[in-house]
Amino acid sequence: MARLRAAGCVFAEDEAALLLEAAGDDTAALETLVARRAAGEPLEHLLGWVELDGERWAVAPGVFVPRQRSLLLVAEAEAIGAAAHARRADGGPVLVDLCCGAGVLGAVVARRLARRGVRAALHAADVDPAATAVAARNVAPWAGSVTTGDLYAALPAGLRGRVDVLLCHAPYVPTAAIATMPPEAREHEPRVALDGGADGLDVVRRAVAGAPGWLAPGGALLFEVGEGQVAAATAAVAAAGLAPRVLRDDEAGALAVVGTAPAPDDADRDGTDLERTEGDGTEHTDGDAAGRRAGGAARA
């Protein structure tokens, strides 16, 4: 614990306990784990798992570690999936986890829906084969399928026009800002999972532009952005013919955009966008709305 504190680990006591658990009675293994953590490797990579939504999920070195703030996306995806199930006559909702990384977000949503008695058809995809290898382990309990490829090119053609929930954990960090990220992220997580181009929205724009062809009527695309990207992101969503909403959870530092495809009865609606603030329960119209770590504490 003292060595972890000296290395700058804020939650040194919690981390020490987790490393002790991982090493068991093997003192040599413990020494190796502590040395690697003190050198800056992500705790989750050393443990082989990340805790999210009360469950441990597989991760591995070189794979993006899902953040606690993404539970905002999870909660919204669960609600959209449950609503889709209620209106579908042909079974459970179709759930896609695009840019899935370790596939944790899609698996969490599928697990939450299963607890409601809703069986989602889960498909995960990522451009990184190291990520999809781990994702296959995480989605297996829900009979999820995983493919490797660039955005929609990785999806089976049979999903076109059928996706109710399209989670897209696209990278959104501007290239120049990567140098300011914590070393454990910029040095140990894959660049492809972080780098969103000059303004951070290169991959997001591609995902938004392609979404209408894959969404079912009333289906929704969900993705995270940074505070300075909201206007550009919601403008892209609107330009693609989707109705944008902005979700916020200030306590968790979470910010997300939802783009909903028109449903058959949308002709009678006025299309007013909503920006919802999670945490305090308030909701208001906004026409301009264009945890640290796992293992006991939230990873920011």
Side-chain angles (χ1 to χ4, degrees):
M1 186 168 62
R3 288 171 63 187
L4 294 176
R5 275 210 190 99
C9 298
V10 177
F11 300 101
E13 184 173 356
D14 292 339
E15 293 194 11
L18 290 168
L19 293 177
L20 281 163
E21 176 190 327
D25 296 329
D26 190 336
T27 55
L30 178 62
E31 170 61 32
T32 299
L33 289 171
V34 172
R36 290 171 62 188
R37 179 65 185 128
E41 288 192 46
L43 176 67
E44 298 86 352
H45 286 173
L46 300 176
L47 300 176
W49 55 265
V50 59
E51 184 177 322
L52 196 72
D53 204 40
E55 183 80 9
R56 291 181 176 183
W57 306 92
V59 292
V63 175
F64 181 81
V65 178
R67 275 49 164 176
Q68 298 293 328
R69 62 172 175 263
S70 294
L71 288 176
L72 176 64
L73 277 184
V74 165
E76 186 68 15
E78 177 191 2
I80 293 170
H85 173 71
R87 68 174 180 264
R88 264 186 178 273
D90 58 348
V94 176
L95 166 63
V96 169
D97 188 358
L98 201 61
C99 302
C100 69
V104 175
L105 299 190
V108 172
V109 175
R111 186 184 72 153
R112 285 189 173 195
L113 288 170
R115 289 178 171 176
R116 291 177 172 224
V118 176
R119 184 178 180 85
L122 172 61
H123 190 93
D126 198 281
V127 71
D128 184 355
T132 52
V134 178
R137 297 165 56 191
N138 285 323
V139 305
W142 291 273
S145 61
V146 182
T147 50
T148 304
D150 182 34
L151 290 181
Y152 301 106
L155 298 182
L159 293 179
R160 282 188 174 274
R162 297 183 52 236
V163 179
D164 299 295
V165 183
L166 180 52
L167 277 170
C168 183
H169 206 273
Y172 61 92
V173 180
T175 302
I178 291 177
T180 68
M181 296 183 73
E184 56 188 61
R186 70 172 186 264
E187 295 177 6
H188 296 281
E189 292 184 311
R191 180 88 175 206
V192 70
L194 303 173
D195 193 344
D199 68 350
L201 296 177
D202 284 1
V203 183
V204 167
R205 287 191 185 91
R206 292 176 55 215
V208 169
W214 294 87
L215 290 174
L221 166 71
L222 305 90
F223 58 92
E224 293 179 341
V225 292
E227 184 63 52
Q229 299 169 324
V230 173
T234 53
V237 169
L242 307 177
R245 287 185 293 127
V246 179
L247 308 177
R248 297 175 185 271
D249 184 339
D250 293 333
E251 184 176 347
L255 180 58
V257 174
V258 179
T260 304
D265 60 348
D266 279 350
D268 297 329
R269 300 177 184 173
D270 62 8
T272 303
D273 298 339
L274 290 178
E275 177 169 351
R276 189 172 77 205
T277 301
E278 301 289 341
D280 64 2
T282 61
E283 184 171 294
H284 61 277
T285 60
D286 185 352
D288 295 328
R292 247 312 265 175
R293 311 196 48 82
R299 181 185 178 102

